Amino acid sequence: MKSYQIAVLAGDGIGEQIMQQALKALRCIEQRNEVSFELIPAPFGASAWFESGKSFPDETMEICDQADAILKGPIGLSFEDTKKIPLEQRPERGALLPLRRRYDTYANFRPVRLPAELSHFSPLKEEIIGAGLDLMIIRELVGGVYFGKKESGVNAQGLRYVVEQLEYDEFQIERIARVAFQTAQKRGKKLHSIHKSNVLKSSVLWNDIVAEVGQDFPDVQVENVLVDAAATYLCLNPGQFDVMVMENLFGDILSDQAGGVLGSLGLMPSACVGPQKSYYEPAHGSAPDIAGKNIANPYSMIGSVAMMLEMSFGMQHEANNLWKAMQSVFVAGYSTADLSKPGASVTMVGTDEFGDRVVAALEK
Ligand code: IPM
Ligand code: MN
């Protein structure tokens, strides 16, 4: 029997509650397959800082080092509460970016999926989104301005200043481009590479390398799109995209915009893949305003489990079952208050009940 260790970092805010739903689904899948999942919870994020003074504690690092995969919930606090934590220990700087750096999780897959039956979740008009949406945003996750050198101080004129460097080398661009081409090859053989080469030199290098890597993938059609234009197209005609690849900061922004196109960031799971280890997380924050209210939809967390099953454990079939189970719960008219307003066609359920319904659908 195969056995996998999974580090479970529930995180902050709604994290604990949506993680519970994801673990229920995982247990269900474990029961009917020749596989065992050893789930090892570990503190991470602001909650860890309040407990131990570290947002990515050493014990958590050890657990993650040992694990076959890491399942991570959202992290972060409200703007006000964040100020209670020293800058370098805040969950984003002190935990999340170090996690990404530690495992070199350079390839961030953010599926933007809306089956036609659920197109009413989107704020876009029926004629634009009616047929649903299925695109994959691939974001470089460990380079660019996020990880570049930073300097701040007071300059010769007595003015406070800051410098943050946007750094990429050809190795970093090549490996993410390769992942994107491989993904496009398995999907619609169309790749949109997002850049800002009319201003940024980093994008000039980006485009050069994408063109070079593209020679190894003659069956994939590449289009280079400026990032600002891409933002417009995502609203006007998102269906033209199949796979999009971009550097770290562009990917942060456009993937949130894509979440808006779906109707909620709550519909955005993700996979963060490194050479040795990968971790899986919702693409959204910890929503402290709705934490503990039993109204957060667990889709992004359960979807992250589906991605883990597929990408870390080769369990494509069960991953598909999980996606289908979640969709069937929505299609049957169930939703949570964070995603939907009460209405004749919606039966509002809590986070737990939504999770239970997904498991019930999975068992069928
Ligand atoms: C994301 C998040 C993070 C990012 C934050 C929490 C640092 O917004 O995963 O998209 O900017 O990458
Ligand atoms: Mn983001």
Side-chain angles (χ1 to χ4, degrees):
M1 174 139 95
K2 288 224 174 85
S3 168
Y4 298 111
Q5 277 192 11
I6 303 170
V8 177
L9 320 181
D12 304 319
I14 59 172
E16 187 61 45
Q17 210 185 7
I18 59 173
M19 183 64 86
Q20 287 313 319
Q21 314 316 310
L23 299 185
K24 278 189 226 168
L26 205 50
R27 284 296 180 219
C28 170
I29 283 167
E30 182 181 42
Q31 273 162 26
R32 62 184 188 201
N33 289 276
E34 289 287 297
V35 65
S36 92
F37 299 121
E38 192 188 338
L39 306 176
I40 308 163
F44 190 77
S47 47
W49 187 83
F50 285 115
E51 269 166 34
S52 69
K54 278 190 175 173
S55 55
F56 189 3
D58 297 346
E59 53 163 308
T60 301
M61 280 184 204
E62 271 163 44
I63 290 170
C64 291
D65 285 352
Q66 295 300 316
D68 296 296
I70 301 163
L71 194 57
K72 178 199 149 285
I75 48 129
L77 296 174
S78 67
F79 187 75
E80 277 311 310
D81 284 340
T82 297
K83 293 183 194 156
K84 296 176 187 158
I85 303 181
L87 200 65
E88 293 310 320
Q89 278 299 319
R90 289 181 188 168
E92 297 81 3
R93 268 197 209 79
L96 183 58
L97 298 188
L99 177 73
R100 289 174 181 172
R101 191 199 295 269
R102 188 172 183 85
Y103 302 113
D104 194 21
T105 55
Y106 67 95
N108 181 206
F109 292 82
R110 297 192 159 177
V112 185
R113 240 186 245 150
L114 198 63
E117 306 96 290
L118 302 180
S119 62
H120 58 274
F121 276 119
S122 172
L124 298 187
K125 292 193 186 101
E126 163 78 25
E127 66 236 46
I128 296 176
I129 200 77
L133 191 61
D134 180 8
L135 80 96
M136 180 65 85
I137 292 187
I138 298 179
R139 167 187 178 194
E140 200 292 325
L141 199 60
V142 294
V145 76
Y146 272 61
F147 289 90
K149 288 189 205 88
K150 294 169 198 296
E151 181 191 299
S152 58
V154 178
N155 67 15
Q157 291 82 47
L159 300 173
R160 286 172 293 171
Y161 78 97
V162 56
V163 180
E164 308 201 82
Q165 285 182 13
L166 197 177
E167 297 179 7
Y168 272 107
D169 65 27
E170 58 183 319
F171 167 75
Q172 290 174 295
I173 301 171
E174 197 207 306
R175 64 179 181 170
I176 192 70
R178 215 161 269 289
V179 164
F181 275 102
Q182 283 159 354
T183 308
Q185 218 165 29
K186 285 188 224 136
R187 294 178 46 117
K189 300 200 169 19
K190 195 169 70 172
L191 176 63
H192 284 90
S193 174
I194 309 304
H195 67 98
K196 185 72 186 170
S197 68
N198 52 357
V199 175
L200 300 178
K201 286 231 170 158
S202 54
S203 283
V204 174
L205 182 63
W206 177 277
N207 292 353
D208 287 349
I209 308 265
V210 167
E212 285 165 27
V213 174
Q215 295 187 344
D216 294 341
F217 300 86
D219 53 334
V220 176
Q221 179 202 332
V222 186
E223 260 187 69
N224 302 295
V225 186
L226 286 162
V227 61
D228 44 355
T232 314
Y233 299 147
L234 266 177
C235 295
L236 296 182
N237 180 14
Q240 72 186 282
F241 298 115
D242 186 46
V243 179
M244 302 171 86
V245 63
M246 61 204 83
E247 65 96 45
N248 202 344
L249 182 61
F250 296 168
D252 180 44
I253 298 168
L254 285 194
S255 63
D256 264 36
Q257 190 187 339
V261 167
L262 294 183
S264 170
L265 280 180
L267 298 174
M268 294 279 288
S270 85
C272 309
V273 176
Q276 261 87 48
K277 204 183 298 268
S278 302
Y279 84 92
Y280 300 85
E281 65 176 356
H284 56 73
S286 62
D289 52 322
I290 61 164
K293 294 189 177 160
N294 198 30
I295 56 176
N297 199 285
Y299 180 98
S300 60
M301 199 69 243
I302 301 178
S304 299
V305 166
M307 296 186 84
M308 176 175 75
L309 291 173
E310 179 187 335
M311 300 172 89
S312 279
F313 308 148
M315 297 175 72
Q316 171 80 60
H317 182 66
E318 287 289 34
N320 287 345
N321 290 337
L322 201 44
W323 291 118
K324 280 193 215 134
M326 280 199 289
Q327 277 154 23
S328 74
V329 176
F330 281 127
V331 170
Y334 295 98
S335 192
T336 46
D338 61 334
L339 292 184
S340 304
K341 294 201 175 61
S345 56
V346 191
T347 310
M348 215 59 94
V349 295
T351 308
D352 293 322
E353 188 178 339
F354 196 95
D356 290 340
R357 286 187 179 277
V358 172
V359 172
L362 199 56
E363 279 165 349
K364 275 200 203 138

